[in-house]
């Protein structure tokens, strides 16, 4: 499912200094059922070679540093909490936070709740989503 996303990303990276070619030849991939948070962030970034790489660094008030794996685990806990509160696809969530780690964890969790399968349960914080 991520092959089309990877190909589009790789094309844009390869042509990042050639704007005309990038605009002329880029095609959006067909991503039926693709959920960026689950299919890319969790499956590729948080489980792959980059799992222990820095994904988020907040400086100043609320300073924090999280790896891809840590951000995935924290957002899983929030997504499961949202599910337990009855939040499902199409529901609106109002989030008012400053630039702190819970802002990014919750945004990623909200993306995870957009999964088409209403019965999909995320893994706990120790396992993959």
């Amino acid at each position: 499912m991520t092959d089309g996303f990877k190909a589009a990303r790789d094309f844009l990276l390869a042509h990042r200094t050639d704007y005309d070619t990038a605009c002329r030849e880029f095609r959006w991939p067909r991503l039926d059922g693709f959920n960026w948070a689950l299919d890319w962030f969790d499956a590729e970034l948080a489980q792959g070679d980059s799992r222990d790489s820095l994904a988020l660094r907040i400086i100043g008030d609320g300073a924090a540093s999280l790896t891809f794996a840590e951000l995935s685990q924290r957002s899983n806990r929030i997504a499961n909490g949202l599910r337990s509160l009855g939040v499902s696809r199409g529901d609106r969530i109002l989030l008012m936070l400053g630039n702190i780690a819970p802002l990014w964890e919750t945004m990623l969790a909200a993306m995870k709740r957009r999964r088409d399968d209403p019965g999909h349960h995320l893994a706990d914080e120790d396992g993959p989503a």
Side-chain angles (χ1 to χ4, degrees):
M1 186 176 332
T2 61
D3 291 341
F5 183 81
K6 283 182 186 179
R9 179 209 56 185
D10 291 347
F11 175 84
L12 290 175
L13 286 172
H15 294 89
R16 66 183 169 269
T17 60
D18 184 358
Y19 180 79
D20 292 333
T21 299
C23 287
R24 183 179 60 252
E25 296 181 21
F26 178 76
R27 299 293 177 266
W28 286 101
R30 184 164 175 85
L31 299 172
D32 295 328
F34 180 79
N35 180 302
W36 182 85
L38 293 169
D39 299 325
W40 184 257
F41 191 92
D42 280 3
E44 296 290 327
L45 300 175
Q47 298 300 316
D49 293 338
S50 61
R51 69 173 277 106
D52 295 321
S53 298
L54 186 64
L56 176 69
R57 176 175 288 148
I58 306 288
I59 58 173
D61 291 340
S65 295
L66 297 173
T67 66
F68 286 101
E70 291 169 330
L71 189 52
S72 172
Q73 292 164 355
R74 288 173 174 220
S75 64
N76 280 352
R77 286 194 297 268
I78 294 170
N80 284 324
L82 292 171
R83 179 184 47 79
S84 73
L85 293 171
V87 175
S88 61
R89 183 175 174 81
D91 290 347
R92 290 178 172 86
I93 300 169
L94 176 63
L95 179 63
M96 295 177 60
L97 295 171
N99 190 24
I100 57 175
L103 168 72
W104 302 100
E105 295 162 1
T106 306
M107 287 194 304
L108 190 57
M111 287 184 237
K112 290 177 179 186
R113 291 302 305 145
R114 299 232 0 117
R115 168 72 77 181
D116 286 328
D117 175 7
H120 180 79
H121 296 261
L122 300 171
D124 62 29
E125 63 269 16
D126 295 325

